Amino acid sequence: MADADVDRLTALAVPDWDEEFRAVPREHFIPDRAVAGHQLIDRSSDPDRWREAVYSDTTILTQVDDGAAPLTPDTTGLPTSSSTAPGLVLDFLRLLAPHPGDRVLEIGTGTGWTAGLLAARLGEDRVTTVEVDAQIASRAEDNLKRAGLAPRLVVGDGAQGHPEGAPFDRVHVTCAVAGIPAVWAEQLRPGGVMVLPWAPVQVMAHKVALTGLGGGRAVGRFYGDTSFMMLRSQRRGLPRLTGELRDSIGRVDPMRIAGADRGLEVVAAALLPGVAIDALGAPDDRVGLWDPGTGSYALAIRTGGEGPDVEESGPRSLWAELEEVYLEWLGMGSPGRDRLGLLVDRQGQHVWLDRPDNVIGGRDG
């Protein structure tokens, strides 16, 4: 292992995680064949290129379609496991901020590298990591052994946490969720911290850190954008049209909605729970919505005329509902994401404005 390779990656982790990055080399956790930046890396045929990818700030894809399809540079399969870019790993570890003696529950073992970093800092007996895919878990166990580590690795549904080991001082989630399972907050010690990627309406997620309040409650804020694969039990799938298509003219320019501050997306998650919305947070001339529960679908396209062209199917008029949410958000003063936060309790997740007791849309889960 060349020191220059390690130094290049370890430099990202200075000053708080550099010792762990050096003690747990990423190369122990990357398979001989993987995909980095839409390019196949193969340790046997091109070891220099493989090592360059391993010791770069790049996400490396290690599985598609739950292992049912081979890895290729031009794969069209659904990415289902990866080694997250080290800089993004660090973002969440710094939000997690584990202290000596903390017991950590990790949801989503993946290659095992993050569990290894946590074990190197806290000790193997302080880290429990849960992986739903038995094949991935087996490989992670082998990877950890190569690094000389053996945290507790459980094969199971991460959405259930690990009640046998609760309470935990930290809960570290490495997959995105649209709905935060209440059991995670229940398994978090009062005063403990949970970090996770929250993706309530689209692929682009929000970094979230929540603090446990006891009684199955946790509260916290947003810390920027991120992107992770979804928790397997919360994958949305692709829209499916139901019923006849309806055409109409909308009121609000889709570009106004698509280009709004991401605070609008958070408010939409509260007022249109369960509805997937694309193209939010970046200017676009069209916005699509889909409700998996009813099969309702809508697409609004900017025309420059009296209003956007709207095409819909299913029982709900989703574009009109989103227009109302947008107008309500404007009426709140167009709050940015920095003024919003999340509260999780046994009834579900709730978005709040300015303070946790000011919940948007009520608290009926």
Side-chain angles (χ1 to χ4, degrees):
M1 174 170 51
D3 287 342
D5 292 332
V6 180
D7 289 344
R8 187 165 60 248
L9 200 57
T10 303
L12 292 171
V14 174
D16 48 349
W17 283 89
D18 52 324
E19 291 184 11
E20 288 80 6
F21 264 49
R22 193 170 295 278
V24 188
R26 194 187 188 199
E27 68 180 68
H28 291 317
F29 299 84
I30 305 300
D32 290 345
R33 285 172 58 87
V35 172
H38 301 289
Q39 293 185 329
L40 187 69
I41 55 173
D42 190 316
R43 191 174 194 174
S44 60
S45 63
D46 194 343
D48 291 339
R49 184 178 173 191
W50 181 89
R51 183 177 294 278
E52 181 181 1
V54 168
Y55 285 103
S56 66
D57 191 18
T58 302
T59 292
I60 298 177
L61 184 63
T62 58
Q63 187 196 70
V64 296
D65 291 337
D66 300 332
L71 278 173
T72 64
D74 56 352
T75 181
T76 57
L78 177 70
T80 51
S81 190
S82 69
S83 175
T84 302
L88 191 48
V89 170
L90 281 165
D91 286 347
F92 279 95
L93 288 176
R94 284 167 173 155
L95 284 175
L96 191 71
H99 299 304
D102 278 353
R103 298 176 65 253
V104 177
L105 171 64
E106 180 183 62
I107 307 298
T109 309
T111 65
W113 187 45
T114 308
L117 294 170
L118 288 165
R121 168 160 291 197
L122 302 171
E124 300 169 330
D125 62 330
R126 314 304 290 178
V127 178
T128 299
T129 180
V130 181
E131 172 58 52
V132 69
D133 187 312
Q135 186 178 49
I136 289 176
S138 178
R139 290 174 182 167
E141 186 174 34
D142 291 341
N143 296 342
L144 287 159
K145 285 180 180 177
R146 271 195 297 275
L149 296 165
R152 179 178 176 82
L153 200 161
V154 177
V155 178
D157 182 1
Q160 303 304 315
H162 186 60
E164 295 87 347
F168 295 93
D169 303 284
R170 297 290 189 270
V171 175
H172 182 261
V173 183
T174 68
C175 51
V177 292
I180 302 171
V183 295
W184 293 352
E186 291 174 356
Q187 293 171 25
L188 181 64
R189 190 185 304 277
V193 174
M194 179 195 318
V195 299
L196 58 105
W198 188 58
V201 304
Q202 62 175 340
V203 172
M204 183 61 70
H206 310 262
K207 297 172 190 168
V208 174
L210 304 171
T211 301
L213 303 178
R217 300 169 67 241
V219 66
R221 292 183 177 272
F222 305 103
Y223 294 87
D225 297 336
T226 190
S227 183
F228 276 77
M229 299 169 191
M230 293 296 292
L231 182 75
R232 290 198 181 183
S233 61
Q234 293 191 16
R235 291 175 184 167
R236 295 188 180 96
L238 298 175
R240 297 182 303 277
L241 299 183
T242 58
E244 296 290 330
L245 287 175
R246 307 184 301 274
D247 294 320
S248 62
I249 301 297
R251 296 181 296 162
V252 178
D253 184 345
M255 290 192 71
R256 297 290 184 185
I257 292 178
D261 184 275
R262 293 201 73 200
L264 171 61
E265 180 185 321
V266 175
V267 170
L271 299 180
L272 295 177
V275 174
I277 313 171
D278 65 13
L280 292 187
D284 201 336
D285 66 355
R286 61 192 61 205
V287 174
L289 302 93
W290 179 48
D291 172 21
T294 64
S296 298
Y297 171 81
L299 176 66
I301 302 175
R302 188 176 197 255
T303 62
E306 61 178 296
D309 287 341
V310 180
E311 183 179 80
E312 293 183 293
S313 69
R316 295 179 67 174
S317 297
L318 287 176
W319 180 249
E321 292 183 40
L322 181 58
E323 287 179 326
E324 288 299 326
V325 168
Y326 175 68
L327 296 174
E328 185 165 348
W329 176 72
L330 291 178
M332 296 175 188
S334 307
R337 186 169 53 185
D338 59 325
R339 291 181 57 195
L340 299 160
L342 278 177
L343 171 68
V344 178
D345 60 23
R346 293 188 175 100
Q347 284 70 51
Q349 62 188 19
H350 318 279
V351 173
W352 50 264
L353 174 63
D354 294 330
R355 61 182 194 276
D357 62 349
N358 186 25
V359 170
I360 294 172
R363 292 184 58 178
D364 57 6

